[in-house]
Amino acid sequence: MNDLKNPEYVPGHGLLKGKSVLITAAAGAGIGFAAATKAVEEGCRGIVISDVHEGRLNASVDKLKQETGLSAVWGKLCNVTDETEVRALVDFAEDKLQGIDILINNAGLGTTKALIEMEDAEWNKVIDVTLNGTMRMTRYMLQVMKARGQGGVIVNNASVLGWRGQKEQAHYAAAKAGVMALTRCAALEAAELNVRINAVAPSLAVHPMLRKSAPEALLKELEGREAYGRGAECWEVANVMMFLASDYSSYMTGEIVPVSSQQA
């Protein structure tokens, strides 16, 4: 039996066999790269990953090729706050993949600041990347999928903070709550295009970048709120993304799926 406090990595089961995938903010060691790795392990025929950091993106493309053996891996720089770059990314992926079957909107930005001390610039930046960026990617992807007429799937990355409160996270929580609302509303419109849109809502996914940026005391406090006394591995969140991207979730749209063992 799997030890829930020390889970074993789950191998692929062909959930995305023959599908093509585009993932934003997928370079580095977080949920995005975990999702990219999982997509390949689940049998996708090709994948495009994007990020805003060129060096990290190139390294991630090379790593993905080397670790999975898939040659149909491409990278493309994209800042999701820029409509021109968003369109360029989707067009690039459409060309390389001969049509995008699955879009995973992973781009998001969080900082820590009490609302009473927060300036407009910090609030607006978090909202623009996390909520507006997801909207821009979804909007143009739907336009492309509509024109192609073959349907598709979009999976968004939200957060349990879209439902729950946490000090110094008003901007991030507001953005993620917006992603949830966007998912629900866009899904109703997308259903007419044979496109499903769902989202995951992780509570706490621990990765090296988070450990560098978040105070150790805060991480311990957050991990203490989880039933297993730990944060999720990034691949555990990616597993649920793969379910939502696959035909196993064919009846689901507009849903927000918690990836959480949070007690409070």
Side-chain angles (χ1 to χ4, degrees):
M1 182 178 293
N2 196 2
D3 181 354
L4 296 178
K5 294 187 177 181
N6 297 284
E8 294 183 7
Y9 191 82
V10 180
H13 289 75
L15 299 187
L16 305 186
K17 185 177 181 180
K19 303 290 187 180
S20 62
V21 182
L22 167 61
I23 308 179
T24 61
I31 293 172
F33 187 76
T37 302
K38 276 290 176 185
V40 178
E41 292 173 351
E42 292 293 352
C44 76
R45 60 180 171 82
I47 186 168
V48 172
I49 63 175
S50 78
D51 205 86
V52 293
H53 301 283
E54 185 172 12
R56 193 166 68 196
L57 178 61
N58 292 336
S60 295
V61 169
D62 291 341
K63 183 179 180 182
L64 196 55
K65 287 181 176 180
Q66 292 169 5
E67 291 186 351
T68 66
L70 181 69
S71 60
V73 178
W74 296 274
K76 173 75 171 172
L77 286 169
C78 180
N79 182 338
V80 296
T81 68
D82 187 313
E83 178 70 16
T84 300
E85 292 192 25
V86 163
R87 288 176 171 263
L89 171 62
V90 173
D91 290 343
F92 174 86
E94 275 286 300
D95 177 60
K96 293 296 185 182
L97 300 172
Q98 297 182 319
I100 301 163
D101 296 315
I102 298 159
L103 165 64
I104 297 179
N105 282 315
N106 181 64
L109 176 68
T111 63
T112 300
K113 183 69 67 71
L115 183 61
I116 197 171
E117 300 171 352
M118 192 178 304
E119 297 180 355
D120 282 2
E122 186 169 357
W123 175 277
N124 290 337
K125 186 175 183 180
V126 169
I127 296 291
D128 202 19
V129 173
T130 307
L131 175 56
N132 297 345
T134 301
M135 180 279 294
R136 292 184 190 98
M137 288 294 302
T138 300
R139 179 175 60 190
Y140 189 51
M141 188 75 263
L142 287 176
Q143 292 172 8
V144 170
M145 285 178 169
K146 179 180 180 179
R148 190 169 0 108
Q150 296 178 353
V153 177
I154 298 174
V155 179
N156 296 327
N157 193 356
S159 168
V160 294
L161 289 185
W163 291 308
R164 302 169 182 170
Q166 184 175 316
K167 290 181 179 179
E168 301 182 330
Q169 292 297 314
H171 50 346
Y172 184 73
K176 290 299 190 179
V179 169
M180 291 179 174
L182 170 66
T183 299
R184 288 188 287 264
C185 295
L188 296 178
E189 300 175 14
E192 301 173 6
L193 309 177
N194 201 34
V195 176
R196 297 188 301 108
I197 306 177
N198 293 291
V200 296
S203 55
L204 177 65
V206 179
H207 51 84
M209 288 185 65
L210 179 62
R211 292 201 178 278
K212 286 182 180 179
S213 62
E216 184 177 349
L218 175 60
L219 283 180
K220 285 185 177 180
E221 177 190 345
L222 294 176
E223 288 180 320
R225 297 179 187 176
E226 302 290 327
Y228 307 139
R230 66 173 179 87
E233 298 290 342
C234 289
W235 57 262
E236 291 179 295
V237 179
N239 282 345
V240 182
M241 287 178 162
M242 296 303 104
F243 164 72
L244 292 176
S246 77
D247 291 340
Y248 276 97
S249 59
S250 59
Y251 191 65
M252 295 175 63
T253 198
E255 295 297 331
I256 318 299
V257 181
V259 187
S260 171
S261 70
Q262 204 169 66
Q263 302 179 77

